[in-house]
Amino acid sequence: MTESVLLLLIGFSAGNSDRTEGPACIFFKDNCSASYGQVQSLLFLNLCLSDFITVFAARTRSWFFTRRPAFALIAAGVLATLSMTFIATEAHLGSMRPITAYTAVVVWAYTLIWFLIQDCLKMATYYLIDAFGIVDRSAYLNLVKQKPKGRMDAENIRKFSQNLRASVGKASIDYTFQQAYRKFSQAAGAEHQPRANRLSVSWAPRTVEF
């Protein structure tokens, strides 16, 4: 939150084309100024990067580097962050305008610095919680041990899958049926037809008239 608000203020200052110094010159090398669309791309990239890499700090109670993340998480992180960087530097989405590769690199560095600060604050928070006994950790662990550890056997998994497929299929058919009825009504002007001439089709739990 703090890092994004600060970056937003820096983006606001980039609207002054007469500026020759200040934080905006670090992010925008050309004339220390940027367009509205470029500031949008700047914030877009920062929010996407900070939101995803926060997972690497929140996943462990200790420092983020003390436990190796799963391969799936690493792959998802690389794909997501590179995709967002590409969008910020190349794409035109709405009023967003591409930022330069230099600006993208600075945003990456800015976000990683704040990530390290965030991890330090996490460790400080855990220290205060343990030092002042804000949370009774032993009671919490005892409560967790009492949680029933039930597992679904093959039969229950099969029934769950069948019920899920049936529910999804029914919802899909119901939605398609409503769409077809709406299009038919618009084309045929069903609202002006006599009620006696309408065809009634029952579909539990609804009754649809044509």
Side-chain angles (χ1 to χ4, degrees):
M1 174 67 75
T2 304
E3 63 171 302
S4 298
V5 172
L6 289 176
L7 191 59
L8 178 62
L9 296 176
I10 294 173
F12 286 160
S13 66
N16 185 0
S17 58
D18 298 330
R19 184 178 296 275
T20 57
E21 59 182 11
C25 298
I26 300 176
F27 289 87
F28 301 104
K29 203 172 184 179
D30 298 333
N31 300 325
C32 301
S33 62
S35 65
Y36 177 82
Q38 289 175 322
V39 174
Q40 276 191 312
S41 297
L42 179 81
L43 268 298
F44 167 79
L45 180 58
N46 169 252
L47 290 172
C48 291
L49 293 178
S50 61
D51 286 352
F52 197 95
I53 66 175
T54 298
V55 176
F56 292 93
R59 57 184 289 276
T60 175
R61 180 181 173 87
S62 184
W63 298 101
F64 74 94
F65 52 80
T66 56
R67 191 176 69 181
R68 185 181 66 83
F71 174 77
L73 179 59
I74 296 176
V78 171
L79 179 62
T81 53
L82 291 182
S83 298
M84 296 305 103
T85 304
F86 174 80
I87 292 174
T89 55
E90 298 293 337
H92 291 72
L93 297 177
S95 59
M96 288 175 55
R97 293 298 176 264
I99 56 178
T100 63
Y102 168 83
T103 301
V105 170
V106 176
V107 172
W108 265 89
Y110 176 83
T111 306
L112 290 176
I113 290 172
W114 273 100
F115 169 74
L116 297 176
I117 295 174
Q118 175 181 268
D119 206 47
C120 292
L121 292 175
K122 177 195 73 176
M123 294 299 296
T125 302
Y126 276 130
Y127 172 79
L128 293 175
I129 289 175
D130 294 337
F132 294 96
I134 299 175
V135 176
D136 190 342
R137 183 167 175 78
S138 60
Y140 164 73
L141 293 177
N142 290 332
L143 190 64
V144 172
K145 291 179 181 179
Q146 299 174 17
K147 179 181 178 181
K149 299 180 179 180
R151 293 186 176 181
M152 295 179 66
D153 54 21
E155 181 63 22
N156 288 330
I157 293 175
R158 185 181 63 81
K159 291 181 179 180
F160 175 78
S161 300
Q162 290 176 347
N163 293 335
L164 181 62
R165 285 196 297 269
S167 299
V168 173
K170 183 177 180 181
S172 177
I173 293 174
D174 188 53
Y175 176 76
T176 304
F177 198 77
Q178 291 184 44
Q179 291 292 101
Y181 166 66
R182 188 177 294 109
K183 291 181 180 179
F184 181 84
S185 299
Q186 293 174 353
E191 64 276 11
H192 300 299
Q193 295 181 7
R195 187 176 184 84
N197 295 333
R198 297 182 184 177
L199 174 63
S200 179
V201 179
S202 295
W203 183 265
R206 298 181 177 86
T207 299
V208 181
E209 291 185 344
F210 292 91

